Amino acid sequence: MTSAPSVLDHAPVVPVVVIEDATDAVPLARALVAGGLPAIEVTLRTPAALDAIRSIAAEVPDAVVGAGTVLSARAVADAVGAGARFLVSPGWTDGLLDALEGSGVPFLPGVSTASEVVALLERGVREMKFFPAEAAGGTAYLKSLAGPLPQARFCPTGGISLASAPAYLRLPNVGCVGGTWMLPGDALAGRDWSRVESLAREASALRS
């Protein structure tokens, strides 16, 4: 396990970013950082993702850029090689977990059941992504896990909004939430970075 700072403790919200054009990466990251959201998850869903991570790592020193949708050992190596400082997966296998543990950076493997949480705790992993949060039971499910499994901490992601985030952040086993609401499609298409910054500032003001 790494001793690097926890992904869960940078800010109350981790923006989950899908970047289609790598040239947007730096101004987008700067807007999010200026709004108080330094931990940025760039999902490996597009051909531009690794170049985006590389650019943010090189040009936005105050950003803590990570890679999301990490599904294989190859993706782990590629993301870390591009400069990712944390890794997030929607789920996990033993092979993927081995690669995450060997990456040298913090990671959040995805879970949606108590059995998956117990299996990760057995492997010494205490910080996880709860995904898809709303579809998998939301705050009620996470609250029910806190009693028998208090050692597990979560970043719930999936269907969370500005309105629903505070209820998650009040839970004792939630460190932060992942979301996309500060990245509306029309703002990204129009490269309206000032709007992104404003929405990020609103999100960063959320407290548990």
Side-chain angles (χ1 to χ4, degrees):
M1 297 294 294
T2 178
S3 60
S6 170
V7 182
L8 303 183
D9 296 331
H10 289 291
V13 181
V14 175
V16 180
V17 183
V18 179
I19 294 182
E20 302 287 348
D21 185 343
T23 62
D24 291 337
V26 167
L28 174 57
R30 285 175 175 157
L32 292 170
V33 170
L37 301 181
I40 302 167
E41 176 187 335
V42 177
T43 63
L44 302 183
R45 301 181 194 175
T46 68
L50 290 174
D51 283 340
I53 291 170
R54 194 172 290 110
S55 294
I56 294 170
E59 299 183 46
V60 192
D62 291 332
V64 181
V65 63
T69 322
V70 176
L71 302 177
S72 67
R74 174 63 183 270
V76 169
D78 288 346
V80 173
R85 293 170 60 185
F86 66 91
L87 303 170
V88 183
S89 65
W92 64 278
T93 64
D94 286 330
L96 178 56
L97 191 60
D98 288 342
L100 292 169
E101 289 181 321
S103 69
V105 300
F107 58 91
L108 297 174
V111 297
S112 60
T113 69
S115 293
E116 291 169 328
V117 175
V118 171
L120 285 177
L121 291 173
E122 190 176 75
R123 291 279 300 259
V125 178
R126 294 173 180 264
E127 298 185 346
M128 312 167 195
K129 171 179 177 173
F130 179 60
F131 177 83
E134 288 288 282
T139 56
Y141 194 91
L142 283 172
K143 185 176 181 179
S144 72
L145 291 180
L149 302 169
Q151 61 271 58
R153 295 180 71 214
F154 301 95
C155 174
T157 305
I160 298 175
S161 66
L162 178 65
S164 63
Y168 282 95
L169 292 168
R170 284 193 291 269
L171 297 176
N173 55 351
V174 170
C176 65
V177 301
T180 61
W181 73 85
M182 73 297 301
L183 302 162
D186 57 341
L188 298 185
R191 293 177 168 82
D192 188 350
W193 310 128
S194 63
R195 183 179 172 200
V196 170
E197 180 180 340
S198 177
L199 292 170
R201 184 170 292 108
E202 185 178 35
S204 71
L206 297 173
R207 290 293 181 265
S208 57

